[in-house]
Amino acid sequence: MTSPQTASPQTAGAAPRTTLTRARVLESAVALADRDGLGALTMRSLAKELGIEAMSLYHHVANKEDLLDGVVDLVAAEIQDAVAALEPLPADAPPSAWKPAMRRQILTARSVLLRHPWAPTVLETRKSFSLHVVRYFDSLLALMRRGGFSYDLVHHAMHALGSRALGFSQELFEPDGAAAGSAAGGLPEAGAEDETVAMLEQMAEQVPHLVEMLAEVAHEQPGSTLGWCDDQTEFEFGLDLLLDGLDRLAADGRR
Amino acid sequence: MTSPQTASPQTAGAAPRTTLTRARVLESAVALADRDGLGALTMRSLAKELGIEAMSLYHHVANKEDLLDGVVDLVAAEIQDAVAALEPLPADAPPSAWKPAMRRQILTARSVLLRHPWAPTVLETRKSFSLHVVRYFDSLLALMRRGGFSYDLVHHAMHALGSRALGFSQELFEPDGAAAGSAAGGLPEAGAEDETVAMLEQMAEQVPHLVEMLAEVAHEQPGSTLGWCDDQTEFEFGLDLLLDGLDRLAADGRR
DNA sequence: ACGTAAGGCTTACGCCGTAAGTCTCCTCCG
DNA sequence: CGGAGGAGACTTACGGCGTAAGCCTTACGT
């Protein structure tokens, strides 16, 4: 793997070291977190794991946030691989096939996350989604579209499922914080959100359904550019979905 | 509020300072987190807020974890107060009244949490629930029981609602981590879990439904003392509840 | 009146992330 | 083939964190 094979005996002539790449750093970080927990993942301990000094890591990651971004992306890629290995829906499947297919994808994602129990926590703290995560979401949207969902319903559905869609049960879309913070505003504000928009548009072909949904949902709500949805409405939608379902089960019991 | 009213002029004769109590420390911590965010809540900054030195805080809280425990408890108490202010269910309400009543409680809890956006994050990291949180849960259980739920269904329901029951959308019961860790075991193991059991039994009269539910659910699952439930089963239960509900909505659209 | 302990303060330690600077090769170009 | 340049390691150091350990004052109970 070294560029030429002159392994550079160095002073003492230790192993070639394979020169260390960002990929190797991220893989080590995942392994370390898997083994010793998220708390054990520090720049110093990761460096020790790799046999280098802490500061050397900064040649491959910008800072710790970037490291965590990369680590999440790696796990998301693992999920995507697992999902891609499933049999695809046959082209002539009926609309109702969306449900078992989606169930399978979500449980597959979950099986991967069970190997990285710390990942949800990290995922939650990211400011923007990794490409792999977004693509995975897009595949779920595609399934719902085939089930005959309007984009509006798809949108509510993603909120209701929340992070369950990724195989665990924490909320990905920020719980309340940021939305509450910018609730007063409403217009562009030219901040990091614009970058998000630009990024999304740029990967339009990679995540067609997502982009289309955003376009549709965005312009039917007057005040919101990407703020982006009414958290209260979404919360109540998901809540009612659950309460209604539970009530049905309870009513069966009462009968 | 000082024991006698001799306000102790001290050396320079500043304000009486009301002597500082655990309650005042916790209230300040909540205020600080509300104002500057969770990241700004450090022992040093909290001390500065109170006009004392960091180490002095340790006379009122055991350590930072204990501080956070207390802060969560304070927020939970605020939720309980808000819920208690709602009109109680009339004694002759029909079973079906559980649903709107529960909805109201949950949305009330949410309205409190919107004032403390950092609280869910902290709540999630607690090792055990505060008394106020547990009592709030018990009140939800009580409503479901009046709706004719079996304890088994109540149990599934709490998992499915997850932290939505507290007004936000993150999972309270640990996502996967601890359960996966002790999956191999199964029997008592005489660790912190025993303390939890003892504590729960001790407050049996404060949270009757919860205790009863635990008793019932526990002995019908062979391998688990308080490990405590099959996460996979609960995950699938909640997932199916949502998928079924969504499918119903989508089918309406298709029609 | 005095012992005592509650509740402040000071100092110091070992972690953390990371800014800044240095040294040592490898690679590429003339 | 020789020297420039840069990539990628290392060293040192800083400020912030939680908190262990110890000191000093003050107020209260006896």
Side-chain angles (χ1 to χ4, degrees):
Chain A
M1 271 291 180
T2 56
S3 318
Q5 70 185 125
T6 61
S8 93
Q10 256 174 197
T11 309
R17 277 267 168 271
T18 26
T19 50
L20 198 57
T21 65
R22 176 175 230 261
R24 260 172 51 75
V25 167
L26 297 181
E27 282 159 22
S28 260
V30 169
L32 181 57
D34 285 347
R35 176 158 42 82
D36 300 338
L38 188 57
L41 178 55
T42 71
M43 300 304 272
R44 291 182 219 271
S45 66
L46 175 57
K48 181 171 292 182
E49 182 94 350
L50 287 161
I52 61 171
E53 295 300 312
M55 291 311 292
S56 299
L57 290 169
Y58 288 86
H59 284 287
H60 304 101
V61 297
N63 49 42
K64 183 151 189 192
E65 283 299 288
D66 184 40
L67 172 72
L68 293 177
D69 283 351
V71 148
V72 163
D73 196 51
L74 200 56
V75 171
E78 194 179 333
I79 289 177
Q80 245 200 347
D81 285 350
V83 167
L86 298 172
E87 289 177 28
L89 262 190
D92 59 349
S96 64
W98 81 274
K99 199 169 64 164
M102 185 137 173
R103 191 175 197 277
R104 216 178 29 149
Q105 278 203 26
I106 291 177
L107 291 180
T108 299
R110 175 175 163 84
S111 74
V112 172
L113 283 179
L114 285 175
R115 298 202 292 268
H116 311 293
W118 44 268
T121 305
V122 180
L123 190 51
E124 234 186 336
T125 62
R126 297 309 85 199
K127 304 213 143 112
S128 56
F129 297 129
S130 97
L131 179 59
H132 286 108
V133 170
V134 173
R135 283 214 288 228
Y136 171 72
F137 279 155
D138 200 67
S139 72
L140 296 182
L141 298 210
L143 284 179
M144 287 191 271
R145 288 296 283 172
R146 289 190 57 174
F149 285 51
S150 70
Y151 271 125
D152 188 54
L153 183 53
V154 166
H155 177 225
H156 288 317
M158 289 306 288
H159 274 280
L161 283 167
S163 46
R164 231 177 278 257
L166 258 167
F168 63 102
S169 304
Q170 291 166 68
E171 185 52 82
L172 267 183
F173 313 99
E174 78 264 79
D176 331 294
S182 69
L187 276 196
E189 198 173 4
E193 292 183 1
D194 277 357
E195 291 174 20
T196 307
V197 176
M199 194 182 69
L200 276 182
E201 278 169 4
Q202 173 191 338
M203 49 192 183
E205 74 253 16
Q206 299 221 47
V207 288
H209 303 90
L210 225 182
V211 170
E212 199 172 340
M213 179 186 84
L214 289 180
E216 193 169 315
V217 170
H219 71 56
E220 75 187 27
Q221 281 176 265
S224 77
T225 21
L226 247 186
W228 81 24
C229 349
D230 181 341
D231 276 341
Q232 182 71 26
T233 302
E234 300 304 341
F235 182 85
E236 294 186 15
F237 178 87
L239 177 59
D240 287 334
L241 212 50
L242 289 166
L243 293 182
D244 288 348
L246 290 171
D247 196 40
R248 229 182 311 262
L249 291 179
D252 285 354
R254 273 184 238 129
R255 247 191 306 108
Chain B
M1 275 288 177
T2 57
S3 319
Q5 73 184 127
T6 62
S8 92
Q10 254 171 206
T11 307
R17 278 267 169 269
T18 26
T19 49
L20 196 58
T21 64
R22 178 179 168 104
R24 259 173 52 73
V25 168
L26 297 181
E27 281 159 22
S28 259
V30 168
L32 181 57
D34 284 347
R35 176 157 41 83
D36 300 337
L38 188 56
L41 178 55
T42 70
M43 299 305 272
R44 291 181 219 268
S45 66
L46 175 57
K48 181 172 289 180
E49 182 94 352
L50 287 162
I52 61 172
E53 295 300 313
M55 290 311 291
S56 299
L57 290 170
Y58 287 85
H59 284 288
H60 304 100
V61 297
N63 48 43
K64 183 152 189 191
E65 283 298 288
D66 184 40
L67 172 72
L68 293 177
D69 284 351
V71 149
V72 163
D73 196 53
L74 200 57
V75 172
E78 194 179 334
I79 289 177
Q80 246 200 347
D81 285 352
V83 167
L86 298 172
E87 288 177 27
L89 262 190
D92 59 349
S96 65
W98 81 274
K99 198 169 67 165
M102 184 139 175
R103 191 176 197 278
R104 215 177 30 151
Q105 278 203 25
I106 291 176
L107 291 180
T108 299
R110 176 175 161 85
S111 74
V112 171
L113 282 179
L114 285 174
R115 298 202 293 268
H116 310 294
W118 44 268
T121 305
V122 180
L123 191 50
E124 235 187 335
T125 62
R126 296 308 85 198
K127 303 212 145 116
S128 57
F129 297 130
S130 95
L131 179 59
H132 286 108
V133 170
V134 173
R135 284 215 287 228
Y136 172 71
F137 278 156
D138 200 69
S139 72
L140 296 181
L141 297 209
L143 284 179
M144 287 191 270
R145 289 295 284 172
R146 288 190 58 172
F149 285 51
S150 69
Y151 271 125
D152 188 54
L153 183 53
V154 166
H155 177 225
H156 288 318
M158 289 307 288
H159 274 280
L161 283 167
S163 45
R164 229 178 279 257
L166 258 168
F168 62 102
S169 304
Q170 290 166 68
E171 185 53 82
L172 268 182
F173 314 98
E174 78 265 76
D176 331 294
S182 68
L187 276 197
E189 200 171 5
E193 293 182 0
D194 277 359
E195 292 172 20
T196 308
V197 176
M199 195 182 68
L200 276 181
E201 279 170 2
Q202 173 192 337
M203 46 192 185
E205 74 252 17
Q206 300 221 45
V207 289
H209 303 89
L210 226 181
V211 170
E212 200 172 340
M213 180 187 83
L214 289 180
E216 193 167 315
V217 170
H219 71 55
E220 75 187 29
Q221 280 177 269
S224 77
T225 20
L226 246 186
W228 79 23
C229 350
D230 181 342
D231 277 340
Q232 183 70 26
T233 302
E234 300 304 341
F235 182 85
E236 294 186 17
F237 177 87
L239 177 59
D240 287 333
L241 213 50
L242 289 165
L243 292 181
D244 288 347
L246 290 170
D247 196 41
R248 231 183 309 263
L249 293 177
D252 286 353
R254 272 182 241 132
R255 244 191 306 106

